[in-house]
Amino acid sequence: MKKTYKFRIKIKSPHTTEKYAITGISEVNNPDRLDQFLEKYGHYIADFKKDEVKNYINQLIDDAKFVQTSYLSYNPGYNFVENKHFWVTGTGTYPYCGCKNADRIKVTLAEELKSAIPKICNIADIEKDEKFAEYLNEAKAHFNITANLPTASAVLITLLYNITKTYNYRINPIMVISLALTAPFATLIFNKFKGYPIGYLEGATKTGKSNVLRLIACLFGFDNSHIRSGNDTALNILFNLQQNACIPALINEIGDKLRNNLNELIIKPVYDRTPRRRMKRSGDEEAMTAINSTLIFNTNSAINKEPSISNRLMQTFWEAGTFNVVEAKRYNQYAQYLSIIIPHIVTTIPVSDVISMINNNYEQLSIIKDERSRVNLAITLTGFNIMLKVINLPDVINTEMFKTELDDFLVKYEELTQENEAEKFIAVIRELIKGQFPKLKASIDYKELRHKGQMGLHINTNKHAENLNTAFAKCYKSFYPNSIPMKPSQYAEILKDYNVIISNASYYTKGNQRGYFFSYETFPEIEAWMSEKPQVIINEDISEDGKPYPRDDDNLLPF
């Protein structure tokens, strides 16, 4: 029986006109399938020159005589197709501004695409939502806005209002969301500036870091399933980065297995956007696609901040007590409306404007001395410029409302992004207790205990603590190859300046043991990583697919 296709396409070899066939585009939308199909008709992929397969498929798309709608396996996101930019989703294709609708072929995703597909909200649904209208009126009153607003502007006003209420005008969430707003242009920015920063959120639990990741997921039309676990392998994380075009992968906490190799396995490949090779089980090498997406991740614990790492990141540091859970939850039911923002941005803001804003911000950031960090922050602040451009209320919403916080952020930025020796000591101890290096021995090398009424972590640095000395030196050199470690017992004077108690008491079995006591009250981040547990389901809410989902105090969006 002859096979029929709803959407037909005529296939012929570029090297001969003797044979051709009619098939469905889904059967030839990648080189492997095309190879198999052509062989049936006496054509071979070996006849194609470099990049000719891609060009050949694009030629088929361009030939409207044979097909009206082409199904492509381009990844969802901001794609470059036939010399035009498209925001590709499962519900339609949004052309980049300057592309005339009459001159383009409609492009949608391939039916067999394995990655998640963004779901863009219907603007009509937003406009008839009475509860959202009430929340919008509250936001407008807060900013003294009386004019009617276009839908995209209205949605961004509610986001900005929610951030001010949830984080009390703190700049960190603004910076991270601003970086995400430039992500659709990430590949174009990289081509111009030879870099695009990775977002990094560091701080204690219950500071709202996970909530920001979930807002970003909503901006790109996803739910919280888009946020990956930090316990993923490097290969899984890179695979997820390859599924989308200019959509950030979101990682919730970096697991211990990845932490020590984070720079080599994740940060450098994502920042440098280089193709990599890996070995297949057969022993043959397999080329992996160069990254054309980006990454934003959070962690409760400090990572290695060697300059080669820190200047590839846009870093934010989150303090306890600044996150209002109640206000964050109020926005849950409206967060999905954020999905209209990115298609609006890529269809109304030319790339040339984005590049110009980055250049202007770079010129004004003379306070930042490191070249890469300066570009990273210029790109980030451009995201805020884009937000203000969409809102389009310069007399009402402007950077003055965040100016004090932003100035403080920039003044302290380079100081905070470079670790001092005290921070390095804590980072190495964490790795020796929680990470992949040979572990310190509980009750011999360290203890959790109460000292003068305070709970905390005690590190034994007695002169006989040879296990600590050896392990510390090896771990330190692995983390900080360009620095020289001291012996753990020699850090006393440095740690005193950070309110670490230098102790000499009988906490262990062999008499008085000299050491360092880190009070959890003073070092909440140490308490956090000492109490890390596997995530469990503690909420009976049901997601859209009927499956329960894991929740913690920061996991706030109702998906």
Side-chain angles (χ1 to χ4, degrees):
M1 181 177 178
K2 187 175 181 181
K3 195 170 183 179
T4 59
Y5 301 95
K6 183 177 180 181
F7 300 104
R8 303 190 312 157
I9 190 162
K10 188 174 182 178
I11 298 291
K12 61 181 181 180
S13 169
H15 307 293
T16 177
T17 58
E18 294 178 1
K19 297 180 180 179
Y20 67 89
I22 302 296
T23 186
I25 188 65
S26 63
E27 291 198 6
V28 294
N29 65 357
N30 70 46
D32 289 339
R33 289 198 187 107
L34 182 62
D35 188 17
Q36 295 170 8
F37 184 84
L38 290 176
E39 284 187 11
K40 296 178 184 178
Y41 297 92
H43 308 308
Y44 299 94
I45 209 166
D47 295 335
F48 289 67
K49 300 175 183 177
K50 185 178 180 181
D51 292 332
E52 199 168 27
V53 172
K54 179 183 69 176
N55 295 334
Y56 178 46
I57 293 177
N58 284 338
Q59 181 183 347
L60 298 174
I61 296 164
D62 197 44
D63 195 346
K65 292 183 296 183
F66 299 127
V67 59
Q68 292 181 341
T69 302
S70 298
Y71 281 84
L72 298 180
S73 57
Y74 282 96
N75 292 338
Y78 197 50
N79 286 277
F80 190 69
V81 183
E82 286 294 282
N83 299 316
K84 300 179 181 70
H85 282 101
F86 295 88
W87 180 250
V88 182
T89 73
T91 56
T93 302
Y94 299 78
Y96 169 62
C97 61
C99 171
K100 298 178 182 178
N101 288 337
D103 296 334
R104 70 184 177 92
I105 298 170
K106 183 181 179 184
V107 182
T108 56
L109 288 177
E111 299 165 346
E112 300 181 52
L113 189 68
K114 295 294 190 291
S115 61
I117 297 173
K119 297 178 181 177
I120 309 303
C121 277
N122 189 321
I123 291 180
D125 293 337
I126 301 174
E127 292 173 344
K128 66 184 181 183
D129 186 334
E130 295 180 359
K131 287 187 176 181
F132 176 72
E134 292 176 5
Y135 191 88
L136 173 61
N137 287 334
E138 184 181 325
K140 289 172 65 175
H142 176 82
F143 293 124
N144 296 316
I145 298 170
T146 57
N148 291 328
L149 300 175
T151 307
S153 300
V155 170
L156 272 182
I157 284 291
T158 63
L159 173 64
L160 201 57
Y161 173 65
N162 176 257
I163 290 172
T164 63
K165 298 287 284 185
T166 300
Y167 297 94
N168 192 27
Y169 286 94
R170 292 297 193 273
I171 198 66
N172 281 338
I174 289 290
M175 297 298 280
V176 178
I177 290 173
S178 295
L179 178 62
L181 290 177
T182 64
F185 307 99
T187 300
L188 300 166
I189 290 171
F190 182 87
N191 292 339
K192 179 70 175 178
F193 296 97
K194 308 308 176 189
Y196 184 88
I198 295 169
Y200 168 59
L201 297 73
E202 177 189 324
T205 57
K206 302 180 182 179
T207 53
K209 304 188 305 296
S210 298
N211 183 61
V212 168
L213 294 190
R214 286 161 177 78
L215 292 174
I216 292 171
C218 291
L219 273 169
F220 286 87
F222 297 102
D223 59 24
N224 66 347
S225 64
H226 184 65
I227 302 173
R228 311 298 298 185
S229 165
N231 291 320
D232 273 11
T233 65
L235 196 60
N236 285 342
I237 292 174
L238 292 175
F239 174 79
N240 285 308
L241 279 159
Q242 292 170 358
Q243 298 305 292
N244 302 298
C246 300
I247 291 175
L250 306 174
I251 311 296
N252 198 0
E253 187 55 69
I254 293 297
D256 287 331
K257 292 182 179 179
L258 188 59
R259 189 181 308 276
N260 195 40
N261 298 308
L262 184 64
N263 184 40
E264 191 64 31
L265 298 181
I266 300 296
I267 292 177
K268 285 186 67 177
V270 175
Y271 181 90
D272 297 339
R273 293 169 175 262
T274 51
R276 296 159 315 287
R277 305 192 73 83
R278 65 175 182 180
M279 295 300 294
K280 298 171 68 175
R281 290 182 179 179
S282 63
D284 298 328
E285 278 194 343
E286 176 184 28
M288 294 182 69
T289 307
I291 297 296
N292 72 339
S293 190
T294 187
L295 174 69
I296 299 174
F297 69 93
N298 74 32
T299 178
N300 296 333
S301 306
I303 63 169
N304 177 356
K305 296 194 186 81
E306 288 279 279
S308 62
I309 298 176
S310 63
N311 62 18
R312 286 178 164 91
L313 307 175
M314 195 291 292
Q315 304 183 58
T316 55
F317 303 93
W318 300 63
E319 299 175 0
T322 59
F323 178 53
N324 188 325
V325 176
V326 174
E327 288 295 337
K329 288 184 175 180
R330 284 188 66 205
Y331 200 60
N332 289 355
Q333 58 195 310
Y334 314 122
Q336 60 185 320
Y337 295 161
L338 294 171
S339 63
I340 70 168
I341 299 301
I342 300 297
H344 178 82
I345 287 172
V346 300
T347 56
T348 58
I349 299 180
V351 174
S352 58
D353 285 7
V354 175
I355 300 301
S356 177
M357 283 188 275
I358 295 173
N359 283 324
N360 290 338
N361 287 326
Y362 178 85
E363 293 299 322
Q364 296 171 23
L365 283 172
S366 57
I367 191 172
I368 305 299
K369 303 305 179 186
D370 181 84
E371 181 74 14
R372 274 186 177 172
S373 296
R374 193 173 174 187
V375 172
N376 292 346
L377 291 171
I379 292 168
T380 303
L381 294 178
T382 294
F384 193 35
N385 297 148
I386 289 172
M387 186 187 301
L388 299 178
K389 195 175 182 72
V390 173
I391 292 173
N392 196 26
L393 292 170
D395 297 331
V396 180
I397 306 296
N398 55 57
T399 53
E400 290 300 318
M401 60 188 296
F402 293 102
K403 189 176 187 332
T404 301
E405 277 282 320
L406 178 59
D407 288 347
D408 188 56
F409 179 91
L410 295 175
V411 165
K412 295 178 180 178
Y413 186 79
E414 289 187 288
E415 176 187 344
L416 291 174
T417 58
Q418 302 296 322
E419 282 177 314
N420 56 43
E421 282 302 314
E423 293 169 322
K424 290 179 181 179
F425 180 91
I426 294 172
V428 171
I429 291 298
R430 183 205 183 281
E431 182 65 21
L432 293 176
I433 293 176
K434 306 293 291 185
Q436 298 303 298
F437 268 82
K439 300 288 195 299
L440 296 182
K441 296 177 181 179
S443 299
I444 296 177
D445 298 312
Y446 70 92
K447 273 187 176 183
E448 283 190 284
L449 49 84
R450 188 176 298 278
H451 176 87
K452 296 183 179 180
Q454 296 184 33
M455 281 299 297
L457 173 67
H458 184 274
I459 303 298
N460 173 18
T461 62
N462 184 53
K463 65 180 181 179
H464 298 300
E466 296 303 326
N467 182 46
L468 173 63
N469 290 337
T470 303
F472 186 91
K474 185 182 295 186
C475 183
Y476 186 104
K477 289 302 291 181
S478 176
F479 263 44
Y480 308 105
N482 299 319
S483 301
I484 299 174
M486 299 183 292
K487 287 186 176 181
S489 59
Q490 295 174 322
Y491 280 83
E493 291 303 315
I494 294 173
L495 293 173
K496 275 183 182 178
D497 294 337
Y498 289 82
N499 297 317
V500 176
I501 297 172
I502 312 302
S503 67
N504 191 11
S506 270
Y507 295 137
Y508 300 84
T509 56
K510 295 183 179 179
N512 291 351
Q513 301 293 321
R514 184 173 173 82
Y516 306 134
F517 179 75
F518 297 86
S519 164
Y520 289 160
E521 184 176 328
T522 306
F523 296 92
E525 70 276 16
I526 294 182
E527 181 180 19
W529 54 255
M530 285 299 293
S531 61
E532 285 173 356
K533 296 179 177 65
Q535 192 177 41
V536 295
I537 296 174
I538 58 172
N539 189 291
E540 295 179 355
D541 289 357
I542 302 297
S543 63
E544 289 180 347
D545 60 4
K547 298 177 182 178
Y549 61 91
R551 257 198 184 194
D552 57 27
D553 288 339
D554 282 347
N555 192 353
L556 298 169
L557 297 183
F559 296 114

